[in-house]
Every structure is written in structure tokens, then in C-alpha cells.
Amino acid sequence: MSLRLSDLSACFEGVIPSIIATASADGMPNVSYLSHVVRVDEEHVALSNQFFAKTAANVRANPKVTLILVDGLTGDQFLLDIGFIRAVDAGALFDKIARQLKASSAQIGMSDVMRLRSADIYRVYGIEKVPSPVETAADSRAPVNLPGLSEAIKAIEQDAAADEIIDNLLGAIKRVLGYGNALVLIRDSNRDCLITTGSIGYEHSGLGSEVAGSDGLIGAAATSGQTIKVSDMSRVRRFGEAIGLEREVAENLTRTVAFPELPAAMSQIAVPMTARGMVNGILFVESTARLAFREEDEAALEILASQAASALRASEWEAATTEPRQASPVREPAAAEREVRVAHHRFDDSVFVNGAYVVKGVAGMLLRLMLEWHLKEARSEFTNRELRLAAGARMPEIKDNLETRLLLLRRRLEEKQAPIRLVRIGRGRVRLDVDGHLNLEAAAGDHP
């Protein structure tokens, strides 16, 4: 049976570098390693061209080119007889390779060095498997559980609340696809970043941690709207190593939460959560195994991420239309109750409860609003609709994702074991519980 390029999918993951062999007009051979080889279709491949002046000169003088591909999972090697067609330095194919190269090289601090000059397209005339003197491994992984995937999609679709949607999405990643480490990051267009709103598998949840809008795999996936993955992270350095007490000190001093870390990660994938053409967040999954994400796994993750994005959008709309009802009276605090000190800094809307950093941005501003109403109007129950209107008056640029920001606030308060709790009491409704005598402080100074 003749081999097709689609049979060699694991060879295009970049785990083991590919090799291109050329010769000059007088027969002098030259061999170069390639960082990226991409399957264009069943008859063409594209090679990343970054530094290869000698290779390019040889190809112009002698069109006979051999490409060696290696399956990073099994070790199988393949010889491809290819011929140069053209080089492209713009367009969808070039952008795809450039994004992948930039995202992966940024992980090792080389984004300014590993710049793509062109994507060189070659026609494939023949594929030959190289006989191996030893027995190669086989891919023993089970195929994607389609019935399980179908059930997960239905569960996400039926969920009405943001917390249930995100929890079911992360649960499906673990239950259906078998990945134990995953994050959901929701886009905050006000500050051009993505905020961790759900996670599984990490020692520290990372709730509230942020990724700048264009940083690394996550930022590249968000800005491009395309899935981006790295299949071998063995040379990648991860940022942010503070743990334990040091993490808490840094959090309080810098108003930042450390990004969750899987130190032994070998594979990472960032999947856009897109609804109606807009990227609302990123599903980020990583694994300690090389080549953890096959094409079918990638497709399943994209389906789940898209379904979750649509469900979150519907949840946001439903919560925004909930009408307010008569407020419940606030319980009068007993004389002996402890004081609950809350400080709000307007320059970044960061909130500290009893000196401990909780959250910032829109979520911090929402907490401030509810606390003000709690004190001035003796209220403890609020609707998304009134919060959206009030927040819009203070921050006109605020757009969507109010539900997920309230979810982040609720989970951060729970994680910090704060004497303030936010309880979801129905669609588009929350209740604020304060365990003590509330003192809403004006922050000293309004600067970092």
C-alpha cells in the first residue's frame, strides 16, 4: 500500500527535527535541519525558511531534493522525494507557520531570533519508509471516545450558568480525553489580557492569573483565533516559580497571581473559545507526554471549546435580562462580630480583604459596587442586569463576560477563605454574605 502524507501526521509535530538534503550544480551535498515542516495537502509540504541561504541556492541550481521525516512517537523514518514550487512570505499558510514558530520560540526566549523568512512549498513525488534494523514502537493510544464526547457536548449545551459550563468543560477534558491539566482563560478586552477562571490538575489553581494578550501560545491563539500547539517542551523554560509563602507575599505586593505550572510539561495546546467569530477565551491543556495531542484530539478539543464558548455567550445573555426583585434586608451585625476591612484601589480596581489581595479589574470593581450598596441601601441580593448598568456607568468600555467575572470573584473569595462570600441564588442573581462588621476603606494613595 502506498503511503500518503496524512499517514505521517506525527512527523509534522517537530518533536524530532526533519532533514533536507540538497546538492549544488556540481554535486556538492548539503544537509540542513528544519524547525517546521507542514503538510499542506496530500501532494504538498511547506518548509520553514529562516537561515538557509545555502539550501536555497542549491535548490535553484539543482531541483532534486530529499526530505527526511521522523515519527516522534514510533521512531519510523521516511524519505520524501520533493521538488521546489515557490516561496511565499504572506498569506494564510505563511501566517500559520509564523504563528507557530513565534509562539514556540517565545517559550524559550528566542522570538526575536527565530523569525520566518518564507514558507517554501514543495511537491511530493514519492514517499518511502526507511527499513529499520530494530523494531519500532506503535501508537497504542485508544481513539477518541465519540459517545463520551457527544454526552459532554450535550451537558455543556444544557448548562445555564458560567460555573457549570466551565466545570463541565474541564471535566470532559479529563473524563473523555484523559488530560489531567487544563485551564480556561476568559478574555478581558478592557486590559487586553486573558484571566484564568477555571483549572484542574494544578497544586495552585491559578485563579485570577493573567496572560498578556499576545504572550506565548495562549496569546498567539487568542490574537489569531487559531489552535496552536507544541509537542515537545523539553527545552522550554516556564516562567513563574514562586510557591507557598513566597507566592502569597508576591501576590499581595504585586497584585498578581502566579500562573499555574506543570514543571514536567512536554506538550501544550491553546484552543480558542470562539462564538460568532469572536474569541472570548482560551482552553489551554498540557501533558507530561510528548506528542500528547493527535489530530483527532485537537479536533475534539476544538469542538468542546466552541460549544463552551457558545454556551457562555447564551448564559451571559440570559443573565443580563433577569429583572430585579425586592431586596432582602441585611442582617444587623452583632456587637462582638469581627471587623471585615476591605480596601479598593481605583487605579486598577484591586481589592484587598483584611490585607490579603483578592482580585482586580472589572471583578474588583463589581465587588466594590456590591459592598457600597450593601452599606448604603441595606441590600444583599443583586442581579447581573443592574451590575452591568452600574459598571457600565463607571467603566464605559466594559463589554461582555460579566458572568465569568462574577464567577472569578466568587471563586477567588472562596479560595482566599475571605469573610465575604458571593453566592449564586438563581439565573442572573447573586447574594453577598459578609461575616462580620464591614469597613470599606478608602485606599491610601491611588498608585501602584
Side-chain angles (χ1 to χ4, degrees), residues 55-74:
T55 297
N58 284 356
V59 169
R60 288 193 297 268
N62 184 350
K64 294 183 178 180
V65 179
T66 298
L67 181 66
I68 301 177
L69 300 179
V70 183
D71 188 311
L73 186 65
T74 67

Side-chain angles (χ1 to χ4, degrees), residues 114-305:
M114 304 288 284
R115 291 186 179 276
L116 186 66
R117 294 172 55 185
S118 67
D120 296 348
I121 301 175
Y122 289 77
R123 184 183 181 98
V124 178
Y125 296 104
I127 305 174
E128 177 186 350
K129 184 176 181 180
V130 179
S132 175
V134 296
E135 184 177 354
T136 55
D139 187 352
S140 59
R141 293 177 294 182
V144 172
N145 178 1
L146 292 181
L149 179 62
S150 176
E151 289 300 316
I153 292 170
K154 292 176 183 176
I156 293 171
E157 184 180 24
Q158 293 169 0
D159 290 332
D163 56 349
E164 295 169 349
I165 294 168
I166 291 175
D167 288 346
N168 268 332
L169 171 61
L170 293 172
I173 301 303
K174 185 173 184 178
R175 184 179 64 258
V176 178
L177 299 176
Y179 301 117
N181 299 86
L183 306 171
V184 172
L185 300 100
I186 299 299
R187 170 168 261 168
D188 185 340
S189 56
N190 304 90
R191 294 188 294 117
D192 190 25
C193 67
L194 294 119
I195 305 175
T196 304
T197 311
S199 70
I200 56 169
Y202 297 94
E203 181 181 357
H204 300 279
S205 72
L207 292 174
S209 59
E210 301 178 1
V211 173
S214 59
D215 281 358
L217 265 68
I218 293 172
T223 54
S224 68
Q226 303 294 320
T227 297
I228 298 179
K229 65 180 176 179
V230 173
S231 295
D232 185 359
M233 297 281 293
S234 59
R235 293 174 295 175
V236 171
R237 298 188 302 271
R238 296 288 304 275
F239 181 75
E241 299 176 352
I243 59 173
L245 180 60
E246 292 180 359
R247 177 186 298 268
E248 294 301 316
V249 171
E251 187 172 294
N252 288 338
L253 291 176
T254 64
R255 297 177 172 88
T256 60
V257 179
F259 194 76
E261 181 180 12
L262 181 62
M266 287 294 179
S267 300
Q268 292 182 334
I269 187 168
V271 183
M273 297 172 63
T274 305
R276 296 191 177 184
M278 293 184 61
V279 178
N280 298 318
I282 292 292
L283 171 61
F284 178 72
V285 187
E286 52 187 352
S287 170
T288 57
R290 288 183 175 88
L291 281 167
F293 308 108
R294 299 165 296 180
E295 287 185 349
E296 60 188 272
D297 300 311
E298 181 177 338
L301 289 169
E302 290 176 341
I303 292 170
L304 288 169

Side-chain angles (χ1 to χ4, degrees), residues 365-382:
M365 187 260 292
L366 292 172
L367 179 56
R368 167 68 185 242
L369 278 173
M370 287 183 282
L371 291 174
E372 287 179 343
W373 287 336
H374 183 77
L375 288 172
K376 295 177 181 178
E377 302 177 16
R379 297 181 54 194
S380 61
E381 294 184 7
F382 312 94

